[in-house]
Amino acid sequence: MTAPRQRLVVVVKGYPRLSETFIAQELRGLELAGLDLVIVSLRHPTDKKRHAVHEEIMADLLYLPEYLHKEPFRVLRGFWAAWRKPGFATTLRGWFSDLRRDPSRNRLRRFGQAAVLVAEWPEDGVWLHAHFIHTPASVADYAARIMRTGWTVSAHAKDIWTSPDWELSGKLDRAKWAVTCTEMGHKHLQSLAADPSRVHLSYHGLNLDRFPPFTDPRLARDGSDPADPVQIVSVGRAVPKKGYDTLLRALALLPADLHWRFTHLGGGAERDSLQALAQSLGIADRVRWQGSVDQAEVLAAYRSSDLFALACRITADGDRDGLPNVLVEAASQGLACVSTNISGIPELFRNDENGWLVPPDDANTLATALKTAITSPDLRQQFGQAAAAQVRSTLDYHRSVDQLVHLFAIEGLNP
């Protein structure tokens, strides 16, 4: 007799998204491990490009109403279906308690989306998992409580550090387990959980098949030749936590006779203001803004560059990166990296051993590190190779996929 079909329902904030390659590669990894997925997205895609991995993912897609007022009949059908479920009354009381602490339109939207998910629950769906412990986990939590089914969550960076402790504690207590991808985030979530053993550390790592070793020799540029400047690259959204304003100010502090070019890959709301800043600093002619690109173009940029730079910071509201995937990608190609010593970045890089780490929001110290890196091609080669070895020995994404498959199997979800 054929075993009944079992489908893992995964709630994400938006799909597909260029900036969340790590989620897409994990979903594809789970599929390759034999799990059958349904992706539930709270938002429709806004990126014009897609990565190759998005084309490989076979999961069905369900888009929930991004704005409840735009699909009123669908939302009403959702609440009618949810009202008939045994857990609706207690979940509604819990939602009112949340609303008193967070009286926001967002709180209403998440409850409405959860109701629609209950009404449109995928056939053969047996388990609910959320990527990010803020809004996707809110939808998953409410839906699971209404249906009285189990759910789990993957927490990452912004979602951990911009969520109030009371909300994190409640979700951690109701979820069967949680995983997170940096030691700093792991310790923080464990401190908020009634049962810390249910919070697991799982570095999401990198699909090394897509980032094979780069064995070509890099040119020994040292910034002395105006006709052959050192090529510096950065990949990331132009948003405050990436620290691109600090990076531009650091570049402007470099000696005038040091020759370099900086290329930024990525979109983001701050691109126009950063371009204006580069102009005011007098370095606009050395800076190229390439815009959003796919993974193949990113890989080509790593291989044609001499140095990767990312000046991550913690913003006023607590937002921050964990261990940025682009740093792992760049390191996998033996590309020397300059970054900051926050969050999970020191979990991969050790200052003056396999990269350069400086305090955030310190343009002067960052400029000193950049000058050393630009003028030291042998050191760049040494650090790049050491970082690549670290990535390939510890951050293969198959490890995290295997860990997740094991955790799901405990809940009865088997390939």
Side-chain angles (χ1 to χ4, degrees):
M1 180 179 294
T2 303
R5 190 181 187 192
Q6 297 180 319
R7 305 180 85 187
L8 173 63
V9 181
V10 183
V11 181
V12 297
K13 191 168 186 178
Y15 182 86
R17 303 183 84 178
L18 287 175
S19 62
E20 294 176 0
T21 319
F22 61 97
I23 292 179
Q25 75 176 9
E26 180 182 289
L27 295 178
R28 182 56 181 155
L30 291 173
E31 287 186 332
L32 292 173
L35 293 177
D36 193 356
L37 309 182
V38 179
I39 298 171
V40 176
S41 179
L42 309 186
R43 293 181 178 177
H44 287 269
T46 56
D47 296 319
K48 295 180 181 179
K49 293 193 174 188
R50 296 162 67 99
H51 294 308
V53 66
H54 292 130
E55 307 297 336
E56 298 171 8
I57 291 173
M58 304 299 292
D60 290 336
L61 268 170
L62 170 63
Y63 287 100
L64 297 179
E66 189 166 345
Y67 300 101
L68 302 185
H69 67 275
K70 290 187 176 181
E71 298 185 67
F73 294 109
R74 189 180 177 199
V75 174
L76 286 173
R77 286 194 300 270
F79 276 112
W80 174 250
W83 176 74
R84 298 164 65 189
K85 297 292 183 181
F88 181 77
T90 55
T91 306
L92 182 63
R93 288 194 293 271
W95 175 77
F96 272 119
S97 177
D98 293 343
L99 185 65
R100 282 193 293 270
R101 302 173 95 167
D102 173 31
S104 67
R105 182 177 297 179
N106 181 65
R107 185 65 57 181
L108 174 62
R109 181 185 306 154
R110 300 315 168 202
F111 195 64
Q113 288 176 318
V116 173
L117 175 56
V118 169
E120 301 179 14
W121 183 250
E123 184 180 358
D124 304 316
V126 297
W127 195 262
L128 190 55
H129 185 74
H131 258 292
F132 293 109
I133 201 168
H134 55 356
T135 49
S138 293
V139 173
D141 183 22
Y142 292 139
R145 290 155 74 182
I146 291 169
M147 295 186 294
R148 291 184 176 173
T149 190
W151 73 285
T152 48
V153 61
S154 292
H156 299 289
K158 176 181 180 179
D159 52 323
I160 297 173
W161 302 106
T162 61
S163 296
D165 288 352
W166 65 264
E167 186 167 14
L168 292 174
S169 293
K171 289 174 178 175
L172 291 169
D173 291 347
R174 290 186 294 270
K176 292 298 292 292
W177 47 261
V179 296
T180 190
C181 54
T182 67
E183 180 61 38
M184 179 175 288
H186 181 230
K187 289 179 178 177
H188 181 64
L189 293 181
Q190 282 194 316
S191 74
L192 298 173
D195 182 358
S197 69
R198 287 162 45 194
V199 182
H200 305 274
L201 175 61
S202 179
Y203 291 102
H204 47 67
L206 192 65
N207 184 344
L208 297 174
D209 294 333
R210 297 186 189 277
F211 290 86
F214 181 57
T215 57
D216 293 355
R218 295 186 186 273
L219 298 177
R221 300 184 179 106
D222 62 4
S224 63
D225 186 353
D228 192 20
V230 168
Q231 301 295 320
I232 307 169
V233 68
S234 189
V235 183
R237 290 176 297 130
V239 295
K241 68 179 176 181
K242 301 295 183 180
Y244 282 117
D245 53 335
T246 300
L247 179 55
L248 291 175
R249 290 188 172 91
L251 290 169
L253 291 172
L254 293 172
D257 60 352
L258 197 61
H259 303 287
W260 52 268
R261 293 291 183 273
F262 172 67
T263 300
H264 173 262
L265 282 67
E270 288 199 326
R271 273 191 63 194
D272 289 347
S273 62
L274 290 171
Q275 288 173 341
L277 177 60
Q279 189 73 40
S280 69
L281 292 170
I283 59 173
D285 60 335
R286 296 185 175 196
V287 178
R288 180 188 177 200
W289 305 91
Q290 194 165 326
S292 297
V293 296
D294 61 28
Q295 201 169 61
E297 294 170 287
V298 170
L299 179 59
Y302 294 146
R303 293 183 166 188
S304 63
S305 300
D306 303 301
L307 184 65
F308 186 92
L310 191 65
C312 301
R313 63 155 64 97
I314 300 172
T315 62
D317 65 354
D319 190 11
R320 69 195 75 177
D321 279 311
L323 174 56
N325 215 49
V326 291
L327 281 168
V328 182
E329 293 172 356
S332 78
Q333 300 306 294
L335 182 61
C337 297
V338 178
S339 192
T340 55
N341 56 6
I342 68 164
S343 299
I345 298 173
E347 295 173 38
L348 170 59
F349 296 99
R350 297 174 299 281
N351 185 46
D352 283 336
E353 291 185 30
N354 64 353
W356 291 270
L357 298 184
V358 303
D361 294 310
D362 187 342
N364 288 294
T365 304
L366 180 56
T368 299
L370 288 168
K371 180 182 176 182
T372 300
I374 289 170
T375 58
S376 309
D378 290 343
L379 202 54
R380 292 199 307 266
Q381 179 77 3
Q382 175 187 328
F383 285 3
Q385 289 179 347
Q390 178 81 3
V391 167
R392 296 191 176 277
S393 64
T394 64
L395 291 175
D396 185 331
Y397 92 116
H398 288 96
R399 295 186 180 188
S400 61
V401 169
D402 289 346
Q403 184 179 7
L404 287 171
V405 169
H406 171 72
L407 289 169
F408 287 130
I410 293 173
E411 310 305 338
L413 187 64
N414 295 298

